[in-house]
Amino acid sequence: MTQPNIILIITDQQRYDTINALGFPYMDSPNLDRLVEEGTSFDNCHVTAPSCAPARASLFTGYYPHVTGIMRNGDRWRHSWVEDLNAAGYHCVNIGKMHSNPFETPLGFHQRYVVENKDRYLQGRYYFDEWDKALQARGLVKQQRELYRQRDDYRERMGAFSWDLPPETHSDNFVGGLAQWWLNTYPKTEPLFLQIGFPGPHPPYDPTPEAAAAYIDRDLPLPEVTQAELDGLPPPYRRYRQHNTEVDHDSVVHLLEPTRLQLQRLRAYYAANVSMIDMQVGQIMEALETQGYLENSIVIFTSDHGDCLGDHGQIQKWTMYDIITRVPAIFWAPGRISAGKRVGALCQWMDIGRTILELAGVEPAADMQAASLLPALRGEDWRGREFVFAEHPADGNYEGPYQTMIRSERYKLVHFMGEDYGQLFDLDADPDELDNRWDDTALAGVKRELLAALLNWRLESALQTRDLFEDYR
């Protein structure tokens, strides 16, 4: 079979529990449901970092953040394995968000149509992307933090604002439309690697009024946060919770005690934004079929991390709960990939990258830390990883000690460098991660084993990649 076209669709900040076919019936997601029902879903896929650029750099290099050196959103990121696809004959196109630095870095793509965060205020410099240019050409002023701040109810909305400009100018509709325009206009070129990066459902949580109306009165799961859970938060997470009430990252002012109405609006707007993206995915699939790409294409849908949305008393990311690190990861290619298969074994999000190379017939680097998902896609016996890891240092949002997460199928441990506190969860007994058992003597043996495994991981990583990034970065 000839080299397949590979379509990699990445959303920003989309939780796992946002797709109907994955077991969440309150969601309207017919096009993503199709990918699940006709493809293979990895249901325990975890990112290597709880923020955008570090996680994405891991995916597009195949290495952990402490190896790439890309650990914060502003860190310089200029290379990726897209260069290898390019060298292997793929026409490589990015439409939408990648979060590279500089934003317009080629990264191996022949063409980039950059659309970055919805709200770039306080990012240190102005950058006008394709979306900014399109809005300006229509004489429109983008909805943004400086304007939201003028609203009387700004501090009550938790970042939930309807998109009141023309629907086609919404960031996700714009990226989806741009992808369809490219497919329908650019002369057919194969093999094609097309990466489509949707800015949503990252905040501001800004669906169109029509999309929001479908969810605003829907019975949605709302967080129930107890004082006992808040009292058990590690000190950095307590500080982070307070920090988000004082600094309005991405137009979000967090509330320590939101009302049920405020939480309902937050969740409804977020879900509505996911459904808007779902509609765009369906239209992209139609364009792929119309232009003759789909029959020889592998479509991959995923996201770079989740969002607390009030769970654990938190908002946004930068913590190590499963609702942040666990993301949807779906492969679709009828006749090439197992259909209707749900894989529960652990994998890292960066494993998708290595698997793309292998699907394209490109030999991954021998020291690549990403593992192959091909056996699972072929329906073979595949046990996944024993542990998955995530890490993050202090930055302008999370101000605590360097944090590292290790997770097995049953247990999760979060280590804060230099501190005697941490988090330890028995996920069998406590899947929602509400009962921190760091100081529970009954789990002292488990704690020692996980800390030892964490140490071994870093030592093995140092040995494996000791010479790698001298010339790569």
Side-chain angles (χ1 to χ4, degrees):
M1 189 175 291
T2 60
Q3 285 175 299
N5 304 307
I6 299 173
I7 317 301
L8 174 60
I9 302 173
I10 304 176
T11 60
D12 193 329
Q13 208 152 310
Q14 181 176 346
R15 293 163 54 126
Y16 175 85
D17 60 358
T18 52
I19 299 174
N20 188 307
L22 294 180
F24 306 98
Y26 50 84
M27 290 299 305
D28 296 333
S29 53
N31 298 294
L32 298 180
D33 293 347
R34 173 192 174 188
L35 299 184
V36 173
E37 291 160 359
E38 298 178 1
T40 293
S41 171
F42 290 87
D43 294 342
N44 238 327
C45 182
H46 292 260
V47 297
T48 59
S51 66
C52 299
R56 289 166 181 261
S58 277
L59 173 65
F60 283 95
T61 63
Y63 300 93
Y64 288 104
H66 68 264
V67 177
T68 67
I70 303 159
M71 307 194 74
R72 300 171 179 86
N73 278 340
D75 288 344
R76 194 167 180 82
W77 171 26
R78 297 182 299 154
H79 295 284
S80 77
W81 47 249
V82 179
E83 296 164 351
D84 300 322
L85 290 181
N86 185 318
Y90 273 81
H91 186 75
C92 302
V93 181
N94 155 242
I95 297 173
K97 182 173 180 179
M98 277 286 294
H99 219 309
S100 58
N101 184 17
F103 289 134
E104 65 275 18
T105 298
L107 284 173
F109 290 101
H110 293 88
Q111 297 168 260
R112 291 201 63 190
Y113 302 86
V114 177
V115 178
E116 274 298 326
N117 279 17
K118 302 174 185 178
D119 184 352
R120 289 186 296 281
Y121 187 78
L122 298 180
Q123 283 197 234
R125 63 186 175 99
Y126 276 94
Y127 176 76
F128 299 118
D129 64 16
E130 302 294 341
W131 184 39
D132 292 308
K133 297 171 192 174
L135 289 167
Q136 190 279 332
R138 295 186 59 167
L140 299 173
V141 177
K142 182 172 68 176
Q143 296 183 199
Q144 54 195 289
R145 198 177 321 188
E146 296 96 321
L147 299 180
Y148 287 138
R149 283 173 171 171
Q150 297 174 19
R151 295 175 55 130
D152 292 338
D153 62 350
Y154 177 63
R155 301 189 66 85
E156 303 170 10
R157 304 285 301 193
M158 297 181 74
F161 306 97
S162 65
W163 182 261
D164 296 326
L165 296 177
E168 66 274 13
T169 66
H170 182 278
S171 61
D172 295 314
N173 288 343
F174 176 77
V175 167
L178 191 58
Q180 295 159 51
W181 169 79
W182 189 92
L183 288 166
N184 290 326
T185 306
Y186 195 88
K188 187 177 180 184
T189 176
E190 296 184 287
L192 171 68
F193 175 65
L194 175 60
Q195 190 276 327
I196 302 170
F198 285 102
H202 186 290
Y205 311 105
D206 60 352
T208 62
E210 295 78 12
Y215 282 96
I216 196 63
D217 295 321
R218 189 170 299 192
D219 186 12
L220 301 172
L222 302 184
E224 300 283 353
V225 182
T226 67
Q227 190 60 47
E229 182 185 6
L230 295 177
D231 291 343
L233 292 175
Y237 286 4
R238 289 183 220 161
R239 291 196 298 272
Y240 173 63
R241 173 172 145 82
Q242 181 65 37
H243 167 87
N244 282 332
T245 69
E246 300 164 356
V247 181
D248 56 345
H249 300 296
D250 306 304
S251 303
V252 179
V253 179
H254 189 38
L255 299 175
L256 298 183
E257 296 182 358
T259 66
R260 305 307 282 174
L261 180 62
Q262 288 167 324
L263 288 171
Q264 174 71 21
R265 180 173 57 210
L266 171 67
R267 295 283 178 118
Y269 279 38
Y270 181 87
N273 197 169
V274 173
S275 287
M276 290 174 61
I277 293 169
D278 177 87
M279 183 175 296
Q280 293 300 317
V281 170
Q283 293 173 0
I284 290 167
M285 294 287 283
E286 289 179 10
L288 287 165
E289 184 169 25
T290 298
Q291 299 306 320
Y293 285 105
L294 199 59
E295 185 176 355
N296 188 36
S297 287
I298 297 168
V299 178
I300 304 165
F301 180 89
T302 188
S303 190
D304 61 355
H305 53 75
D307 189 317
C308 275
L309 295 179
D311 285 326
H312 310 289
Q314 306 284 2
I315 197 72
Q316 295 228 51
K317 56 260 189 188
W318 288 291
T319 59
M320 294 294 185
Y321 298 106
D322 268 13
I323 51 173
I324 303 301
T325 67
R326 184 189 184 202
V327 293
I330 307 161
F331 286 72
W332 178 96
R336 192 191 299 260
I337 287 172
S338 299
K341 184 175 181 180
R342 304 282 294 276
V343 180
L346 290 169
C347 67
Q348 296 272 192
W349 195 51
M350 66 179 177
D351 296 343
I352 294 173
R354 182 189 184 103
T355 305
I356 287 173
L357 291 177
E358 293 174 333
L359 288 166
V362 176
E363 183 69 25
D367 55 9
M368 184 177 280
Q369 294 175 307
S372 177
L373 304 177
L374 273 186
L377 295 177
R378 292 170 176 159
E380 300 170 10
D381 181 35
W382 182 78
R383 298 187 180 183
R385 292 176 177 263
E386 181 180 7
F387 301 112
V388 290
F389 303 91
E391 54 188 326
H392 211 280
D395 61 10
N397 304 293
Y398 167 75
E399 299 172 332
Y402 188 94
Q403 55 175 326
T404 314
M405 181 272 283
I406 177 172
R407 187 196 193 282
S408 67
E409 289 193 359
R410 178 168 180 179
Y411 295 104
K412 173 187 284 188
L413 180 144
V414 183
H415 174 266
F416 295 90
M417 190 170 69
E419 304 294 346
D420 58 3
Y421 54 75
Q423 289 183 305
L424 178 61
F425 299 107
D426 180 346
L427 300 171
D428 282 357
D430 178 29
D432 295 325
E433 300 171 271
L434 303 177
D435 182 15
N436 182 9
R437 301 180 65 182
W438 179 264
D439 295 318
D440 188 340
T441 56
L443 291 184
V446 171
K447 182 177 171 181
R448 282 194 301 271
E449 291 173 4
L450 291 175
L451 287 171
L454 198 59
L455 174 61
N456 287 335
W457 166 63
R458 288 302 298 263
L459 292 172
E460 291 170 0
S461 177
L463 180 63
Q464 180 183 12
T465 62
R466 62 189 183 278
D467 301 321
L468 177 66
F469 274 82
E470 286 300 315
D471 299 320
Y472 188 79
R473 289 184 64 196

